[in-house]
Every structure is written in structure tokens, then in C-alpha cells.
């Protein structure tokens, strides 16, 4: 029995899955821009960068906001999490030149579409690239 020095997620399949998810997330952003006029993405490169920034914001800033707004989230039965998602989406557009969102309502609709597409990507990748 040998012990791998890297966790399972860091193997070649894990790296391929992360890369594929990143590329598909960029495609999802382009799809959101195509489906909804309140979101504009200038190029695929901008979509790639925006996907990374949205991911980083969701990984670093979103948990802090969720904890700070927990009372409001409880009172609204979790619906305030949609506002937090929209704020992360809108913040990403404020940080990037090739990704633009036309206001908070557009961020709310865009983040909902992006979330649905991301869930579809996750479910599609769920069985793909797993070790057997």
C-alpha cells in the first residue's frame, strides 16, 4: 500500500477537472452575456479572467459576507443569499475591463443565470474524470 504525496484532488484528473470547469465557466459567462443584455463580455479571454475573479470572490469574500449578514439571511429565509451572489457578480464587473454588468438588477439576473449554468456544469462534470 503506497501513500500518494498529493491529495486526490491534485492528481492529473483533478487538474483536468479544474481546468475544464474553468473553461466551461467562461463559456457559461459568454452564454449569460448572449442570453441577457444586461451583462456584456468583450471576449473569451475576458470571460476566462472574469470566471477566475468570480471564483476568487466567491471563495474569499462571500463567506465573510454570509457570516456578517446571517441575521438578515435568517429573517429572509435564505433569500438574501441571492443578493450576496449578485453583489459578487457585480463586484467582479467593477474590477474588470472586459466584463460589464448594467446595475444591481442586471447583476441579480446575471448571477442567477450563471448559477444555473454552473450547477449544470457541476452535475455534468460530477461523473466525468473520476477515478474508478
Amino acid at each position: 500500500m503506497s501513500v500518494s504525496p498529493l491529495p486526490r484532488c491534485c492528481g492529473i484528473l483533478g487538474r483536468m477537472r479544474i481546468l475544464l470547469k474553468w473553461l466551461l465557466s467562461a463559456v457559461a459567462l459568454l452564454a449569460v452575456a448572449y442570453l441577457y443584455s444586461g451583462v456584456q463580455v468583450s471576449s473569451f479571454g475576458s470571460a476566462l479572467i472574469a470566471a477566475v475573479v468570480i471564483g476568487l470572490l466567491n471563495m474569499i469574500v462571500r463567506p465573510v459576507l454570509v457570516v456578517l449578514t446571517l441575521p438578515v439571511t435568517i429573517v429572509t429565509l435564505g433569500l438574501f443569499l441571492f443578493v450576496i451572489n449578485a453583489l459578487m457578480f457585480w463586484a467582479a464587473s467593477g474590477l474588470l475591463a472586459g466584463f460589464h454588468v448594467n446595475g444591481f438588477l442586471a447583476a441579480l439576473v446575471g448571477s442567477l443565470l450563471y448559477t444555473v449554468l454552473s450547477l449544470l456544469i457541476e452535475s455534468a462534470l460530477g461523473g466525468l474524470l473520476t477515478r474508478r
Side-chain angles (χ1 to χ4, degrees):
M1 177 189 214
S2 66
V3 177
S4 174
L6 294 175
R8 183 175 173 192
C9 68
C10 297
I12 188 72
L13 291 179
R15 289 186 204 125
M16 286 175 47
R17 187 176 193 282
I18 290 170
L19 181 62
L20 187 58
K21 183 171 183 335
W22 176 42
L23 293 172
L24 290 175
S25 294
V27 171
L29 270 178
L30 290 173
V32 168
Y34 179 77
L35 295 171
Y36 182 60
S37 62
V39 176
Q40 292 93 31
V41 180
S42 63
S43 67
F44 185 69
S46 296
L48 285 170
I49 295 169
V52 168
V53 170
I54 290 170
L56 288 173
L57 286 172
N58 282 333
M59 187 174 62
I60 297 167
V61 178
R62 187 176 187 274
V64 174
L65 286 178
V66 168
V67 169
L68 290 175
T69 61
L70 191 59
V72 177
T73 303
I74 291 171
V75 169
T76 62
L77 302 175
L79 293 176
F80 194 72
L81 293 175
F82 290 117
V83 173
I84 292 174
N85 286 343
L87 288 174
M88 295 299 96
F89 201 74
W90 199 14
S93 77
L95 295 171
L96 302 171
F99 176 57
H100 181 71
V101 177
N102 298 329
F104 179 76
L105 185 60
L108 185 63
V109 173
S111 70
L112 287 172
L113 289 171
Y114 185 65
T115 300
V116 168
L117 292 173
S118 294
L119 286 172
L120 291 173
I121 290 168
E122 277 297 318
S123 67
L125 291 179
L128 189 66
L129 299 175
T130 55
R131 285 189 178 168
R132 296 195 191 328

